[in-house]
Amino acid sequence: MSKTPSQQDNEILPFFEGLKKFKRFRLLEPSVGVLGFFFVTLCVICCFFYLDYRAAAKGFLFTTQSERFMWFRFGGPGEDRRVEFLTEQGDGCDVFDGGWEWDESYPLYQSKNCSFMDGGFRCSENGRPDIFYTKWRWQPKYCNLPRFNATMMLERLRNKRLAFVGDSIGRNQWESLLCMLSYVIPNKNSIYEVNGSPITKHKGFLVFKFKDFNCTVEYYRAPFLVLQSRPPAGALRKIRTTLKLDQMDWSSMKWGDADVLVFNTGHWWNYEKTVRGGCYFQVGKEVKMDMKVEDAYHRSIETVVDYIHTKINPNKTQVFFRTYAPVHFRGGSWKTGGTCHMETLPELGSSLVPPDNWSQFKTVMDVLSARTNRSEVLKLDLLNVTEMSSRRKDGHSSRYYLPDLAPLHRQDCSHWCLPGVPDAWNELLYALFLKHADARPSNLSSRTES
C-alpha cells in the first residue's frame, strides 16, 4: 500500500529537525569536561614518570628493561640484523653511527665509590636530583659493542702505558676511565699517583699506576696540543704568549713512547682564550698578528698529524684522536649566563648544537681527508664522538659542579657528569682497542707465549 504525501511529510520532518540540531552542535567547541579530561591525563602521565624516577633514585632497579622507555630508541634496525663488532662480520661497522638506548644495567659505576674523580664531575653527590642521564647506552646501528670488561682491558694494558693528552674535557674522559677500571680492583690502595699528587684541580700531568697490572693510566694537560710559550724577543707589548703552531707541546717528551695515546683539543681554540688574552700565533720565528683562530687551529692539527706520522712508532703505539665534544649552552654562552640545568633527556630529533661546534669537527676531517687524498696511510683511529655527544644536552654538570648549587648564570655546559657520556666514549675506545689488538699477530703471539 502506497503512502500518502501527508504521511511522507510526517516521516521526513523529524529527520530535518535532527539535522538542524546536529548543525547547531559544535564539535570543536571546548568544554570544561574536555579540558578536565586532558588535565587529569597530563597529571597521570607526570605522576607516572615521577614515581618511576623516585623508585630509581632510591635504588630500586627493574629486573628487565623498562617498557616505559622502549620508545626512546633513536634510529637503528632490529637486533637480529646486528653483528658483533669484534667478529670478522663487524669489520665494516661504523660504531659512531647509532643512537642512545635506555639500559637499566647502567651506570657502570657510582661516583661515590670512585675516589679518582674531581668534585666538579660528581653531579649526583653535588645535588643533581635526576639520574636519567646515567642510564643511556650507545648502540651502533649495525653491530653490537662488546660489554665493557675492566679486567680484560687491564690485562691488555699489563706492563703498558695509556696516556690522555689534551684539555679538561680530555681529563673528564681520563677520570671516567679511571673509575671504570678501578671498579674491579678490591684493594683501591693498589692504585696510586706515582708522584703522590692529588687528583683534584691538579695542573700539569698525573700518572696513576695499577700496581697489580704494572700499568699506568696518565693525563697530560695540553689544551692546544701545540706549544704555548713566551713571545720572541722584540715582540709587541700586547703579545703576552704565543702558540707555536709548528711545534708540539713540551709534554710530548714524556708521553711520546706510550703504548696507547688519546689526543683531544678544541675547547680553547676560540678568540677569548687566545687573541683576546694576548695569546697570538707563531710559525717559525714569525708572529702572525692577523691570523684567524680557525686558520691557526687548522695549522695546529696538521702539526699533530705530522707528529703522529713521523715520531710515533705504529708497531708500538696505538693512537686515537677524539673529536670535539659539543657544548649545550642555551640563552647565552659560558660567560653570558647560558644554561642547561633543565635538560633531563637526550635530543629526540636532530641536534640543536650551534654551528660553531661543528666547525671544530670539520677542521679535523679536512686535515685527515687531505692526507688520505695523497694516498697516505693514517696512523691513527678517529674517536668520532661529536655527533653522538651533540644529542646529550642532558649530560652536563650545569649547576652541579660545586657542593653548593652554582648560580644560575654560572653554569657548566661544557664538562660532563660522571658517570655519564664520557663513559660511552671509553666504551668505544675499549672496543677499538680490542679490535686493533686482535688484528696484530705479534700481540696475539706474545699473549699466547705469556
Side-chain angles (χ1 to χ4, degrees), residues 249-317:
D249 185 81
W250 67 271
S251 62
S252 61
M253 66 182 69
K254 292 183 175 293
W255 48 254
D257 62 345
D259 299 279
V260 183
L261 283 171
V262 184
F263 292 107
N264 94 282
T265 188
H267 284 267
W268 282 54
W269 286 96
N270 55 62
Y271 181 79
E272 286 74 16
K273 295 281 189 179
T274 55
V275 177
R276 186 171 184 175
C279 180
Y280 288 81
F281 310 116
Q282 181 177 346
V283 178
K285 296 182 179 181
E286 181 183 359
V287 179
K288 305 287 187 178
M289 299 298 297
D290 298 324
M291 179 176 276
K292 296 180 179 179
V293 177
E294 297 79 9
D295 296 332
Y297 180 59
H298 189 282
R299 182 69 178 82
S300 73
I301 296 299
E302 289 182 328
T303 296
V304 173
V305 175
D306 284 340
Y307 177 87
I308 294 171
H309 279 70
T310 59
K311 302 296 184 180
I312 300 296
N313 179 4
N315 295 320
K316 171 181 172 56
T317 304

Side-chain angles (χ1 to χ4, degrees), residues 40-185:
V40 171
T41 303
L42 183 61
C43 289
V44 170
I45 294 174
C46 290
C47 290
F48 181 75
F49 279 96
Y50 175 74
L51 291 174
D52 182 72
Y53 151 67
R54 294 298 296 173
K58 291 180 180 179
F60 298 117
L61 298 180
F62 304 103
T63 56
T64 58
Q65 190 180 52
S66 176
E67 293 182 2
R68 303 170 194 179
F69 292 96
M70 291 299 284
W71 54 280
F72 279 125
R73 293 183 176 224
F74 308 128
E79 294 184 7
D80 58 329
R81 293 178 55 189
R82 294 182 182 136
V83 297
E84 299 303 317
F85 177 64
L86 294 184
T87 65
E88 288 186 13
Q89 290 78 12
D91 287 351
C93 180
D94 180 1
V95 294
F96 308 108
D97 179 16
W100 293 97
E101 290 192 1
W102 181 266
D103 193 324
E104 292 289 357
S105 66
Y106 278 59
L108 299 173
Y109 60 90
Q110 297 292 341
S111 61
K112 63 183 180 181
N113 298 327
C114 181
S115 59
F116 313 105
M117 186 192 302
D118 277 293
F121 305 145
R122 299 177 180 272
C123 300
S124 61
E125 294 175 73
N126 292 336
R128 180 164 177 169
D130 69 298
I131 61 170
F132 289 158
Y133 67 95
T134 69
K135 294 290 186 179
W136 299 99
R137 173 177 57 83
W138 180 252
Q139 174 62 61
K141 279 185 180 180
Y142 302 108
C143 61
N144 292 314
L145 295 173
R147 178 80 177 188
F148 183 80
N149 186 321
T151 303
M152 178 177 288
M153 187 163 191
L154 285 168
E155 282 291 353
R156 297 294 182 97
L157 288 173
R158 186 179 289 276
N159 302 321
K160 294 181 179 180
R161 298 173 58 202
L162 187 158
F164 288 83
V165 184
D167 56 29
S168 57
I169 310 299
R171 182 188 179 115
N172 211 167
Q173 184 182 3
W174 169 68
E175 292 186 21
S176 160
L177 187 60
L178 283 177
C179 291
M180 293 168 72
L181 293 175
S182 64
Y183 181 78
V184 297
I185 304 297

Side-chain angles (χ1 to χ4, degrees), residues 169-441:
I169 310 299
R171 182 188 179 115
N172 211 167
Q173 184 182 3
W174 169 68
E175 292 186 21
S176 160
L177 187 60
L178 283 177
C179 291
M180 293 168 72
L181 293 175
S182 64
Y183 181 78
V184 297
I185 304 297
N187 180 15
K188 298 297 189 286
N189 291 328
S190 67
I191 309 169
Y192 55 90
E193 208 287 320
V194 297
N195 298 306
S197 301
I199 194 169
T200 303
K201 298 298 181 184
H202 184 85
K203 293 185 177 180
F205 65 93
L206 291 163
V207 179
F208 274 81
K209 185 170 186 175
F210 287 73
K211 183 178 179 181
D212 295 342
F213 295 87
N214 192 35
C215 68
T216 56
V217 181
E218 310 168 17
Y219 166 74
Y220 295 86
R221 183 180 180 274
F224 298 105
L225 293 184
V226 293
L227 181 62
Q228 186 174 20
S229 65
R230 295 177 181 178
L236 297 176
R237 181 175 298 180
K238 68 177 181 178
I239 304 175
R240 298 179 181 178
T241 59
T242 64
L243 285 173
K244 295 184 176 180
L245 303 178
D246 51 357
Q247 296 184 39
M248 290 294 292
D249 185 81
W250 67 271
S251 62
S252 61
M253 66 182 69
K254 292 183 175 293
W255 48 254
D257 62 345
D259 299 279
V260 183
L261 283 171
V262 184
F263 292 107
N264 94 282
T265 188
H267 284 267
W268 282 54
W269 286 96
N270 55 62
Y271 181 79
E272 286 74 16
K273 295 281 189 179
T274 55
V275 177
R276 186 171 184 175
C279 180
Y280 288 81
F281 310 116
Q282 181 177 346
V283 178
K285 296 182 179 181
E286 181 183 359
V287 179
K288 305 287 187 178
M289 299 298 297
D290 298 324
M291 179 176 276
K292 296 180 179 179
V293 177
E294 297 79 9
D295 296 332
Y297 180 59
H298 189 282
R299 182 69 178 82
S300 73
I301 296 299
E302 289 182 328
T303 296
V304 173
V305 175
D306 284 340
Y307 177 87
I308 294 171
H309 279 70
T310 59
K311 302 296 184 180
I312 300 296
N313 179 4
N315 295 320
K316 171 181 172 56
T317 304
Q318 184 178 6
V319 181
F320 296 90
F321 189 98
R322 180 178 59 73
T323 60
Y324 185 79
V327 301
H328 289 90
F329 290 98
R330 298 287 182 264
S333 65
W334 63 274
K335 64 182 185 301
T336 59
T339 66
C340 58
H341 68 293
M342 297 298 290
E343 306 291 356
T344 57
L345 291 173
E347 298 273 14
L348 298 180
S350 58
S351 172
L352 300 177
V353 172
D356 59 337
N357 282 261
W358 296 104
S359 64
Q360 303 268 2
F361 172 74
K362 185 177 183 299
T363 296
V364 173
M365 298 308 294
D366 286 347
V367 172
L368 296 181
S369 296
R371 298 299 174 118
T372 55
N373 289 340
R374 296 202 298 263
S375 299
E376 293 185 20
V377 177
L378 293 178
K379 299 179 182 179
L380 60 87
D381 288 306
L382 196 67
L383 202 59
N384 184 4
V385 305
T386 304
E387 199 277 334
M388 63 183 287
S389 304
S390 71
R391 307 186 203 176
R392 293 304 306 276
K393 56 187 173 62
D394 59 313
H396 294 288
S397 304
S398 62
R399 302 182 69 188
Y400 305 103
Y401 60 91
L402 297 173
D404 298 322
L405 202 62
L408 276 172
H409 65 284
R410 296 292 295 173
Q411 298 194 27
D412 184 351
C413 303
S414 300
H415 296 92
W416 305 85
C417 296
L418 295 180
V421 174
D423 301 337
W425 304 345
N426 284 325
E427 288 181 285
L428 291 167
L429 175 67
Y430 170 71
L432 293 171
F433 174 66
L434 292 185
K435 190 83 169 177
H436 180 82
D438 290 342
R440 295 170 66 176

